[in-house]
Structures are given as C-alpha cells and as structure tokens.
Amino acid sequence: QVQLAESGGGSVQAGGSLRLSCAASGYSGCSIAMRWHRQGIGKERELVSSLFRDGASEYADAVKGRFTISKDSDKGTLYLQMNSLKPEDTGMYYCNVWLYRACSVNGTYYAAGHNDWGQGTQVTVSS
C-alpha cells in the first residue's frame, strides 16, 4: 500500500504562492494517476489536478493557468505549485493515488479503482 504524506500548506494573502509536496512510495510499475484534491468547509471534495504515468496532466477549470502539478520520481515526491492564489482556493488539500488498472505489488492484488489518501494539508488564502 502507498504511504502518502502531504506538506507545504499554510496561510498566504491573495495573489501569493505555495508549493505543496506529497511524499509517495509504492505501486512501482503500476498504472496510476497521482492527484490532488481539495475540500473547503461545507463543500464537497473536488479534484484539482491529476498526473498520469505517461506524464499527461489535467486540471480543474478553476485552477488552470495558476497551478502546476509535477513529480520528482527520484525523490518519490508529488508537487503542486500554486500561484496567484485566491480566497476560494482555501481548503484542505489531499494527495491521492488512484490505480486505473489492476496491479499486483509484492504479492498483493489491487483492483482497478483502488485509492490511497494522505491526511491532508491546510491552505488558507486571505483577501
């Protein structure tokens, strides 16, 4: 199972920047997407950005042009660079690994659709 640990959250003023990090290990060789989600108070959790094994990335319309997802494979770390932050970006940000194909790791079978989540890191943007 993947171990995920987010860091880098904090409080910034609107227009500022933060970089979130997610230390991730496991599922080597599997078809995975590494994703960032967020959840504001009283809101549903929403997908912010995805990075697929082939390097393709996707972004929610609300963050396109402002956020960049990337990965350092040597360090096993996923990043989310967030620029031009807005108060509506406030929320708990979660790192997520999603298997889009079934995979076996160290003798353990994981079905397609399997998810692992980190504990989250809080981002607060003030106006």
Side-chain angles (χ1 to χ4, degrees), residues 31-44:
S31 296
I32 63 172
M34 300 186 74
R35 309 188 294 189
W36 288 99
H37 291 70
R38 68 185 180 187
Q39 186 169 18
I41 295 176
K43 299 181 180 180
E44 293 187 355

Side-chain angles (χ1 to χ4, degrees), residues 36-114:
W36 288 99
H37 291 70
R38 68 185 180 187
Q39 186 169 18
I41 295 176
K43 299 181 180 180
E44 293 187 355
R45 189 172 296 189
E46 63 176 345
L47 177 61
V48 174
S49 183
S50 302
L51 181 64
F52 295 90
R53 187 182 177 191
D54 63 0
S57 58
E58 295 179 349
Y59 297 91
D61 288 343
V63 306
K64 281 181 181 177
R66 299 188 297 120
F67 290 12
T68 303
I69 192 170
S70 63
K71 181 177 66 174
D72 185 329
S73 297
D74 290 340
K75 295 182 178 179
T77 302
L78 179 72
Y79 299 101
L80 186 68
Q81 178 66 43
M82 307 186 295
N83 299 327
S84 302
L85 283 161
K86 304 176 181 180
E88 50 264 43
D89 294 318
T90 294
M92 186 70 77
Y93 283 69
Y94 298 91
C95 179
N96 160 246
V97 171
W98 169 58
L99 269 69
Y100 55 91
R101 293 194 182 97
C103 190
S104 291
V105 179
N106 296 327
T108 299
Y109 173 81
Y110 296 95
H114 178 83

